[in-house]
Amino acid sequence: MKVFLFVLMATIFEAVGDAVIRIAIAAPRPHMRIGFYLLGTVLLALYGTSLNLAPVEFATVTGLYIATLFVVFQITNYVLLHTAPTLPVMVGGSLIVAGGLTVYLWK
């Protein structure tokens, strides 16, 4: 469970940081754009730092990370950017999640 929580936090930092950068690009005012860029930069730095300080070997959790990243990206895309996943994204995503879980759980 500890590994999953670590992976979940890293993917949240990555997905939200990326979404905030996309919001910054479209921000109508320069001060808003700068603020969003700064926030996105901090979130992406937290993501990179958390991966490098991880208490686990990253190669062992890659499958879990990819599966979690897909799910968190879709949630973030829907909540922050108001874009629902399409049917092809859901079908392909289910294959990503199934493959990621297979890699992680197959011992």
Side-chain angles (χ1 to χ4, degrees):
M1 183 58 114
K2 180 180 176 183
V3 172
F4 175 72
L5 293 177
F6 157 75
V7 168
L8 181 62
M9 286 308 301
T11 59
I12 289 171
F13 287 143
E14 182 181 7
V16 174
D18 181 64
V20 169
I21 294 292
R22 282 186 269 160
I23 291 168
I25 291 170
R29 295 192 175 95
H31 69 281
M32 290 173 62
R33 195 170 303 127
I34 290 169
F36 282 126
Y37 271 122
L38 290 174
L39 177 59
T41 300
V42 168
L43 290 167
L44 291 172
L46 287 170
Y47 152 70
T49 301
S50 67
L51 283 183
N52 287 298
L53 295 177
V56 296
E57 179 61 40
F58 187 68
T60 63
V61 296
T62 302
L64 181 62
Y65 180 78
I66 296 302
T68 305
L69 183 63
F70 174 79
V71 172
V72 171
F73 264 130
Q74 296 312 309
I75 292 169
T76 303
N77 202 34
Y78 183 74
V79 171
L80 295 181
L81 304 174
H82 310 292
T83 304
T86 62
L87 182 59
V89 170
M90 295 299 288
V91 171
S94 66
L95 296 172
I96 291 169
V97 170
L101 291 175
T102 300
V103 169
Y104 180 68
L105 296 173
W106 193 320
K107 308 248 182 215

